[in-house]
Amino acid sequence: MLFEPYRSDALQLKNRIVMAPLTRSRAVEANTPNDLMAEYYGQRAGAGLIITEGTSPSPNGLGYPRIPGLFDPAHVAGWRKVTAAVHARGARIFVQLMHTGRVTHADNLPAGAEVIAPSAVALSGEMYTDKSGLQPHPVPRAMTPADIDHAVAEYAQAARLAIEAGFDGVELHAANGYLLEQFLNPHANRRTDAYGGSAENRNRFVLAVAQAVTAAIGAQRVGLRVSPFGVFNDMGAFDGMQAQYLELARALGALGVAYLHLVDHSSMGAPAVPAEFKAQLRAAFGRSFIGSGGFDGASAEAALSEGRADLIAFGRAWLANPDLELRLQRQLPLNAPDPSTFYTPGAQGYTDYPRAA
């Protein structure tokens, strides 16, 4: 099933293989996508669907050095090169909109931007900056209701720009401890207003963003990624978490978004997402469901044949294997990635991995 086309009311894909979003930090000039990035994504367009690296809808969301943005005309022009390269090989491509919230440092932000989050709760540990190396995470400024409305509008505008740039849709990154999940999780959200304090209130910002983006570009062009049970960026389980995520999934399904993308980070040491909960989440959503986390060819086929997912996302395997779909289909060995080049500028460890003979 992995290599068969997939058709839904929102997605028409040449196979069921998804390239998961992978931060690569190659947008070296003003966070603008470039020719090297177009080459990288074009190489990997054997996937049915590519989801780009996290891309900020706001100057405030540029948490890491050299990650791309999507909030000005230069970004649109740069991304247009990427989408053209991917479409030339028959793949579809969604841009992942990732506002990092408190996961940043002022040295990584452009002039006039600031570190904001649901609450004034600093992330533990340090952030790498090109300017000063590792720096402690700062205490973010708690967002006002006006800030929240502004952020919602930024997501909607970024979605419009995505369509202008040739993307087939956008994925809202509500996983891995970034701004949307910061609102979902009481470890980061200490608010006592309409955006905190209860499961319904903590879901409110994510749903407001999803509603604004679907109003801007259509629900069938919108997906959403979640990582319940994930612990990255000071996240983690909390009382009532499963019920909260099931309600979120039901609301997103009712909105008619294209897909729900569930991340299980247990292959990287996080707690496993229980199989029963995955099934409940898929049923609550009721639309296309992407499984992600530690899959190989055999486990992907099993998940599809057993009805546990409609599409399977592969992450780290794409780093060193631009022809991953071919290697999976022919059961060929995979190239090993070089971690020292995951986030460094330039072609080395990015576009120079060999294809299978």
Side-chain angles (χ1 to χ4, degrees), residues 157-184:
Q157 176 61 7
R160 295 185 194 98
L161 294 178
I163 301 307
E164 184 180 336
F167 283 104
D168 299 291
V170 305
E171 176 178 279
L172 303 177
H173 194 5
N176 296 0
Y178 299 113
L179 184 65
L180 293 179
E181 190 181 12
Q182 288 163 30
F183 273 89
L184 293 174

Side-chain angles (χ1 to χ4, degrees), residues 37-118:
M37 292 170 62
E39 180 183 359
Y40 168 80
Y41 283 109
Q43 287 177 343
R44 288 155 179 79
L49 174 64
I50 289 176
I51 305 169
T52 73
E53 62 210 276
T55 300
S56 182
S58 167
N60 297 330
L62 293 166
Y64 299 98
R66 293 167 270 106
I67 66 170
L70 188 50
F71 50 82
D72 69 29
H75 296 153
V76 173
W79 278 121
R80 194 173 285 126
K81 299 176 183 179
V82 174
T83 60
V86 169
H87 288 152
R89 292 193 56 204
R92 297 291 176 261
I93 181 167
F94 277 41
V95 61
Q96 187 191 66
L97 297 181
M98 178 183 78
H99 190 308
T100 56
R102 67 177 183 169
V103 187
T104 188
H105 188 275
D107 285 351
N108 289 339
L109 299 178
E114 60 179 326
V115 183
I116 58 174

Side-chain angles (χ1 to χ4, degrees), residues 60-267:
N60 297 330
L62 293 166
Y64 299 98
R66 293 167 270 106
I67 66 170
L70 188 50
F71 50 82
D72 69 29
H75 296 153
V76 173
W79 278 121
R80 194 173 285 126
K81 299 176 183 179
V82 174
T83 60
V86 169
H87 288 152
R89 292 193 56 204
R92 297 291 176 261
I93 181 167
F94 277 41
V95 61
Q96 187 191 66
L97 297 181
M98 178 183 78
H99 190 308
T100 56
R102 67 177 183 169
V103 187
T104 188
H105 188 275
D107 285 351
N108 289 339
L109 299 178
E114 60 179 326
V115 183
I116 58 174
S119 303
V121 180
L123 182 66
S124 64
E126 298 175 311
M127 168 60 71
Y128 176 78
T129 70
D130 282 339
K131 178 181 178 181
S132 306
L134 289 171
Q135 295 293 312
H137 285 107
V139 177
R141 182 175 66 79
M143 295 168 70
T144 66
D147 292 324
I148 290 173
D149 291 343
H150 182 68
V152 170
E154 286 180 316
Y155 273 98
Q157 176 61 7
R160 295 185 194 98
L161 294 178
I163 301 307
E164 184 180 336
F167 283 104
D168 299 291
V170 305
E171 176 178 279
L172 303 177
H173 194 5
N176 296 0
Y178 299 113
L179 184 65
L180 293 179
E181 190 181 12
Q182 288 163 30
F183 273 89
L184 293 174
N185 195 309
H187 297 322
N189 183 349
R190 311 285 176 82
R191 303 178 73 94
T192 57
D193 63 0
Y195 293 93
S198 69
E200 180 182 7
N201 287 354
R202 290 194 301 271
N203 282 348
R204 192 180 306 278
F205 178 63
V206 174
L207 291 174
V209 170
Q211 290 160 358
V213 170
T214 59
I217 64 172
Q220 294 186 348
R221 288 174 162 172
V222 182
L224 192 128
R225 193 183 208 212
V226 295
S227 59
F229 293 90
V231 296
F232 189 53
N233 285 325
D234 288 356
M235 294 292 102
F238 54 88
D239 289 344
M241 182 181 72
Q242 294 190 33
Q244 179 179 331
Y245 271 89
L246 290 174
E247 184 52 41
L248 178 65
R250 280 189 284 270
L252 292 167
L255 193 58
V257 302
Y259 67 77
L260 185 64
H261 182 181
L262 174 65
V263 184
D264 183 336
H265 281 141
S266 57
S267 64

